[in-house]
Amino acid sequence: MVVVALALGGCATVATNMSLVRQRAAFDLSCKEPINVVELGNGDTFGATGCGNKATYVVKCTGNTATSCTAFLNSEPKPGQPSPQAPAP
């Protein structure tokens, strides 16, 4: 029964956490193009890439709702793979 209580005590879905990371990464990376976010295995750690940079984020929650969650930069932004450019018209 304890396991069930812990499993239901999470603050947000992975999709919600990814959205938080995407918004925070756009600010941290000074990037107006779409940010690519991937889960790094446990639902609260994510990698973000955009504008030729990449960074790692951790989502922490202070309560039991998605509005209590915040994405924190967990690494210095580093040069990453260049983001694909839209083809010229």
Side-chain angles (χ1 to χ4, degrees):
M1 192 62 110
V2 173
V3 174
V4 173
L6 291 174
L8 295 175
C11 71
T13 65
V14 171
T16 300
N17 288 347
M18 290 177 88
S19 178
L20 289 169
V21 169
R22 192 170 285 112
Q23 292 171 10
R24 180 64 194 210
F27 176 80
D28 291 338
L29 303 178
S30 299
C31 189
K32 293 183 181 181
E33 68 183 44
I35 301 290
N36 183 37
V37 177
V38 295
E39 180 188 2
L40 297 178
N42 58 7
D44 67 353
T45 305
F46 299 87
T49 58
C51 294
N53 293 302
K54 61 183 179 178
T56 305
Y57 290 84
V58 174
V59 175
K60 297 292 181 184
C61 303
T62 59
N64 290 328
T65 64
T67 58
S68 71
C69 300
T70 304
F72 294 95
L73 183 62
N74 196 39
S75 68
E76 290 296 318
K78 300 176 185 173
Q81 297 294 325
S83 298
Q85 300 294 320

